[in-house]
Amino acid sequence: MNRTVRIGGASGFWGDSSVGAPQLVASRQIDYLVFDYLAELTMSILAGARLKKPELGYATDFVSVAMKAVLQDVVQQGIRVVSNAGGVNPQGCADALAALAAEHGIALKIAVVSGDDVSPLLPQLRQQQPAVRELQSGAPLPERVLTANAYLGATPIQAALDAGAQVVITGRCVDSAVILGVLMHEFGWQPGDHDLLAAGSLAGHIIECGCQATGGLHTDWDTVPDWPNIGYPIVECHADGRFVVTKPSGTGGKVTPAVVGEQMLYEIGDPSAYLLPDVVADFTQVRIEQAGNHRVRVHGARGRAPTASYKVCATYVDGFKAASQLTIVGFDAVAKAQRTGEAILTRTSTLFAQHDYGPYSGTQLEVLGAESCYGPHARATQTREAVLRIAVTHPRKEALELFAREVAPAGTSWAPGTTGAASGRSAVSPSIRQYAFLLDKSKVEARVEIDGQRIEVPCDAGPVAGEETFSPKSPTSIDEPQAASFDADADIVAVPLIRLAWARSGDKGDTSNIGVITRHPALLPLLREQLTETRVAEWLAHLVKGPVTRYEVPGIGAFNFVCEQALGGGGMASLRNDALGKGMGQILLAMPVRVGAEWLALLEAGAPADHAAAGA
């Protein structure tokens, strides 16, 4: 049981670079190769592909690009592969991979995990009482649902590996399950081993987004070397739940506690109750420590019994959407762009009335290059080049086709220096929205098949009678860092938050989370005092329409801010340029905070700030 299991994360989404899998396999540093392809709305894209061509509906790049490049080496090295590339057609994905293997004369044992598609249950769910309600808005189940898939856990993957599968292909599962399933198989972890399952889920969460664990999106981007050759992440895992995050030797990027800490907080809600199908994970007492060059040790995750429900992500069509851009050059570019956008919306609204189309259901006008996403915090700019972006929705497709026709005339009608319409009219597409709800696990049956043979899968466990599901365990003692103290006679200065902290933001539906990590543990009390829920809500009020909740993560000296109704609907439903909240953390990092000048001098002199993420 002193073995180390080494897992490489080759993909963070469908569209990630093709270099990940070959790089990891060539490193000879991995036992398993895992891929995560399924962002929340990828299922709708795959469903549309399958409607046009029944044999599709999976992430084709997994077979035609990634596995084509590494298949022979994977087999020769004995590397096993787990991927959720199956999308809405995992069997089709397996068939395509089997055909590729046959072309190369390779016998490959492929397991298919299915059962996540709960669309057949929708008629029954419409009749049940209490009625199904959307998790964030409370809205009833839409009439025309495109997809409805439960986030399965790691147990089916474990079962497939236990049965000897060399490759496991799943449909929708929680992203971290492709790693947790491997560890449950390798170490014999059981459903009741909650702390271990939480640790394995954290390992999966850290590498599920590819290079975000090796310096991608890092606040201090300018310190991350060799972007073109950035390394993809590897976790070296032990049976007791400890693991080390690293990357292939000789690759670019950077693995430090700050980098790993940013990723730990990425796209989570309450860090003391991160709800997963296999466990409710508590990351508040996690410790992250440098353990060598580009090696970071992670330990301290805790867990408790999972809930009795799966989260289901459904999608549905709600009218149509279109987006157009124009570039405006010259003096007063921002003012010219703003007036041009307003003129387009006014003209088309008049034409809609003449055609009896009715008004827009939604509009968004942004001037990119003018810091419009910063709202009232935008700095005055005299830029002489700006991009006008207009995004709109309407119940009728013909109305938006009219809108698309009326954008290019701006090039000869209004502002001097208008250009950039050469790419043609914008396309009109269905406006696809997400609908998340909970479904009792007893209604979902995960299935595993290998070569047409059904493999028995234990039911995902819910809470055990008498066990408290949501109440945190007594926390492991974390020494409160001594507060940053200021000499009363010393200068107190206001600086942007980025001088004192790292941050990363992400999305879950219409909610954005922003993880903020102190650059030095002694700054935690100072930031606790100044980064209040009220102040963060006020700073982001032009973007966030719902409540802001602050959670503390003392193990790494951090806070997680969960901002509701923050993304204009989120995903493909949002009309914003930043529909996924990637810029929210950057906007918060511009917020001024007060600190003693001597602390700034200490940090800028190279104080050992990176150990802040270790809770040292």
Side-chain angles (χ1 to χ4, degrees):
M1 295 304 289
N2 292 323
R3 289 182 305 114
T4 300
V5 176
R6 305 167 304 168
I7 306 171
S11 173
F13 64 100
W14 189 18
D16 205 344
S17 175
S18 61
V19 308
Q23 179 198 89
L24 289 164
V25 172
S27 76
R28 294 185 174 271
Q29 293 176 235
I30 61 169
D31 306 305
Y32 286 83
L33 185 66
V34 301
F35 299 80
D36 175 28
Y37 283 103
L38 301 182
E40 289 187 320
L41 283 166
T42 305
M43 301 297 280
S44 297
I45 297 170
L46 295 175
R50 190 177 189 184
L51 284 174
K52 295 176 183 177
K53 206 170 183 181
E55 63 270 28
L56 295 181
Y58 61 91
T60 52
D61 290 359
F62 170 67
V63 178
S64 63
V65 178
M67 291 304 293
K68 185 176 181 179
V70 301
L71 182 58
Q72 290 182 321
D73 290 334
V74 160
V75 174
Q76 288 171 1
Q77 294 183 38
I79 296 171
R80 299 170 82 175
V81 176
V82 183
S83 172
N84 61 10
V88 299
N89 187 9
Q91 186 61 57
C93 183
D95 293 343
L97 180 59
L100 176 67
E103 288 177 16
H104 291 83
I106 296 173
L108 201 61
K109 195 169 185 179
I110 304 172
V112 175
V113 177
S114 59
D116 57 290
D117 183 1
V118 299
S119 299
L121 298 178
L122 295 182
Q124 171 190 342
L125 295 177
R126 293 185 196 283
Q127 304 300 320
Q128 78 173 24
Q129 293 297 328
V132 170
R133 289 284 182 255
E134 208 278 333
L135 286 177
Q136 293 182 354
S137 68
L141 192 64
E143 286 300 319
R144 297 178 58 193
V145 174
L146 292 177
T147 60
N149 297 83
Y151 284 80
L152 299 182
T155 306
I157 296 170
Q158 177 192 21
L161 294 171
D162 288 349
Q166 294 167 277
V167 179
V168 182
I169 296 173
T170 80
R172 168 50 82 195
C173 63
V174 68
D175 298 346
S176 56
V178 295
I179 292 89
L180 179 59
V182 168
L183 298 177
M184 292 174 71
H185 161 70
E186 284 285 342
F187 296 132
W189 293 349
Q190 299 300 312
D193 296 329
H194 297 140
D195 286 350
L196 296 175
L197 298 181
S201 297
L202 178 55
H205 176 67
I206 286 173
I207 71 167
E208 71 191 27
C209 291
C211 296
Q212 288 184 197
T214 56
L217 306 192
H218 183 41
T219 302
D220 297 343
W221 59 272
D222 54 335
T223 68
V224 180
D226 195 6
W227 277 3
N229 190 40
I230 191 168
Y232 276 71
I234 297 171
V235 282
E236 300 174 352
C237 304
H238 303 272
D240 62 2
R242 293 175 297 115
F243 61 91
V244 168
V245 184
T246 186
K247 62 185 182 69
S249 301
T251 60
K254 174 180 177 179
V255 183
T256 67
V259 167
V260 175
E262 283 183 340
Q263 181 56 27
M264 186 182 87
L265 298 181
Y266 182 67
E267 293 187 343
I268 66 172
D270 181 351
S272 72
Y274 184 38
L275 304 182
L276 296 165
D278 303 288
V279 66
V280 174
D282 181 351
F283 298 156
T284 57
Q285 312 301 322
V286 166
R287 295 300 188 101
I288 304 177
E289 304 154 353
Q290 200 75 47
N293 190 34
H294 300 303
R295 295 179 62 80
V296 168
R297 182 184 301 108
V298 182
H299 60 96
R302 301 174 305 158
R304 47 196 188 275
T307 70
S309 301
Y310 286 122
K311 177 184 175 181
V312 176
C313 184
T315 59
Y316 65 100
V317 174
D318 184 23
F320 298 87
K321 68 182 296 186
S324 292
Q325 291 189 174
L326 291 170
T327 302
I328 314 293
V329 178
F331 295 105
D332 302 315
V334 174
K336 289 188 295 188
Q338 183 73 31
R339 185 177 176 188
T340 298
E342 292 168 354
I344 291 170
L345 291 177
T346 299
R347 172 180 282 183
T348 51
S349 294
T350 300
L351 292 171
F352 287 1
Q354 293 173 2
H355 287 80
D356 248 354
Y357 289 159
Y360 287 109
S361 53
T363 64
Q364 180 80 18
L365 192 161
E366 297 172 281
V367 181
L368 310 182
E371 301 188 1
S372 57
C373 63
Y374 281 80
H377 316 300
R379 297 173 301 185
T381 177
Q382 296 299 319
T383 181
R384 291 176 291 180
E385 181 182 55
V387 176
L388 166 66
R389 180 181 182 275
I390 311 174
V392 293
T393 55
H394 197 282
R396 297 176 66 167
K397 184 177 183 179
E398 58 267 37
L400 295 193
E401 290 172 339
L402 188 158
F403 159 81
R405 291 195 300 270
E406 290 295 333
V407 174
T412 56
S413 298
W414 299 320
T418 300
T419 185
S423 59
R425 295 173 183 168
S426 59
V428 178
S429 60
S431 178
I432 298 176
R433 293 183 173 270
Q434 295 171 299
Y435 183 95
F437 65 96
L438 298 179
L439 181 63
D440 193 293
K441 287 179 176 175
S442 65
K443 296 181 181 294
V444 179
E445 182 183 9
R447 297 183 294 276
V448 176
E449 290 189 3
I450 302 179
D451 298 328
Q453 298 296 312
R454 183 83 173 265
I455 306 298
E456 184 176 350
V457 181
C459 294
D460 274 344
V464 178
E467 179 163 2
E468 187 65 50
T469 304
F470 287 105
S471 296
K473 297 177 180 178
S474 299
T476 302
S477 176
I478 294 285
D479 294 332
E480 176 72 11
Q482 185 175 354
S485 59
F486 308 125
D487 186 333
D489 297 324
D491 292 336
I492 303 298
V493 295
V495 298
L497 176 61
I498 194 171
R499 300 276 294 276
L500 306 181
W502 300 283
R504 179 173 298 170
S505 55
D507 72 303
K508 284 296 178 187
D510 198 19
T511 294
S512 176
N513 89 291
I514 308 171
V516 178
I517 307 171
T518 60
R519 290 181 182 268
H520 193 286
L523 293 170
L524 182 63
L526 180 147
L527 293 185
R528 181 188 294 123
E529 178 183 353
Q530 297 190 52
L531 290 183
T532 63
E533 293 172 340
T534 299
R535 188 156 183 241
V536 170
E538 290 172 349
W539 185 259
L540 299 175
H542 63 290
L543 297 172
V544 178
K545 306 308 175 187
V548 172
T549 305
R550 184 181 77 178
Y551 298 98
E552 191 156 339
V553 192
I556 63 169
F559 303 99
N560 190 43
F561 292 92
V562 176
C563 309
E564 300 178 39
Q565 300 173 45
L567 300 172
M572 291 178 67
S574 177
L575 298 181
R576 294 183 190 171
N577 185 54
D578 183 17
L580 303 179
K582 299 294 187 182
M584 297 281 281
Q586 295 295 301
I587 295 169
L588 184 60
L589 284 171
M591 188 175 79
V593 291
R594 299 175 70 253
V595 64
E598 73 275 16
W599 263 98
L600 290 180
L602 180 67
L603 290 173
E604 291 170 359
D610 222 4
H611 77 284

